Amino acid sequence: LAPTSGYSLFSSYEWASEALGGSVNFQRVEAGGSYHFPLSQSWLVHTGLRGGFILSEGASADNIPFNSRFFTGGENTVRGYREGLATPLDSNGDELGSESYVLMNLELEQRLSRSLSIVEFVDAVYFSREGLYDGGNDFLYSVGLGIRYQTVVGPIRLEYGYNPEPRPQDPKGRLHLSVGFPF
């Protein structure tokens, strides 16, 4: 619920095919992990790295449903954005979702007491609108501060992510109140 050392790994694979009775053909792969280690009794470092890609047979517009694309942003990915908005946008500012991405999270946590700590973080995502890092590539990042209160169900987090280089339609930052460790 509140890691202080060790690592976590995950992966997922999704396959959609007309041969399985569906109406689309694609494969979606996602993998990642996190590593946590103490610098001292009161200083902790948390790192996270994950990524994913979608492969499709034929035109991706015909074979990748909108809800199967990747939508980063929010309290557990890029904290300077609302949920799902750190993603490719069309000319009207509407979300398109990405077909591939790499997400990095880095945190430095300072414990003030057994249950209270402050955290500094950097979240960054590199994504592609089409294919494996082709067409419409973009890089977004946020830096921020937060305060955490440890409970039996995980930390209650109040964090503000600031976007130093937002796109014209992006916010300058975002305040999040959430429960649980972010990655």
Side-chain angles (χ1 to χ4, degrees):
L1 296 176
T4 58
S5 65
Y7 66 92
S8 172
L9 301 173
F10 82 92
S11 65
S12 67
Y13 176 76
E14 181 180 343
W15 178 32
S17 173
E18 291 174 350
L20 297 172
S23 59
V24 293
N25 295 296
F26 71 90
Q27 297 175 43
R28 185 178 193 261
V29 178
E30 195 169 14
S34 61
Y35 181 63
H36 314 272
F37 61 93
L39 290 176
S40 69
Q41 285 190 4
S42 63
W43 289 92
L44 301 167
V45 175
H46 307 285
T47 62
L49 181 67
R50 71 185 205 196
F53 60 90
I54 304 172
L55 301 173
S56 67
E57 297 175 22
S60 62
D62 298 331
N63 282 301
I64 303 174
F66 181 77
N67 64 345
S68 292
R69 295 173 174 272
F70 297 108
F71 292 89
T72 54
E75 68 269 7
N76 295 323
T77 57
V78 185
R79 289 169 269 194
Y81 293 84
R82 252 186 38 223
E83 188 72 29
L85 293 183
T87 186
L89 305 174
D90 66 14
S91 58
N92 296 326
D94 295 325
E95 305 87 40
L96 294 173
S98 60
E99 290 184 27
S100 57
Y101 79 99
V102 174
L103 172 69
M104 185 275 309
N105 304 97
L106 177 63
E107 292 186 347
L108 180 61
E109 181 179 356
Q110 165 72 61
R111 289 192 167 164
L112 303 175
S113 70
R114 184 174 175 94
S115 58
L116 189 65
S117 61
I118 57 174
V119 64
E120 298 174 280
F121 60 84
V122 176
D123 302 322
V125 65
Y126 176 79
F127 53 77
S128 174
R129 179 180 310 201
E130 299 171 10
L132 284 173
Y133 309 105
D134 294 329
N137 296 338
D138 211 348
F139 175 77
L140 301 174
Y141 71 102
S142 296
V143 297
L145 291 170
I147 189 163
R148 292 186 181 157
Y149 182 74
Q150 300 296 333
T151 69
V152 295
V153 295
I156 296 174
R157 304 173 6 229
L158 180 63
E159 299 169 330
Y160 181 77
Y162 172 72
N163 299 322
E165 298 179 32
R167 298 172 292 190
Q169 60 276 31
D170 289 340
K172 284 287 186 189
R174 187 80 182 167
L175 183 66
H176 296 280
L177 177 62
S178 54
V179 177
F181 198 79
F183 54 91

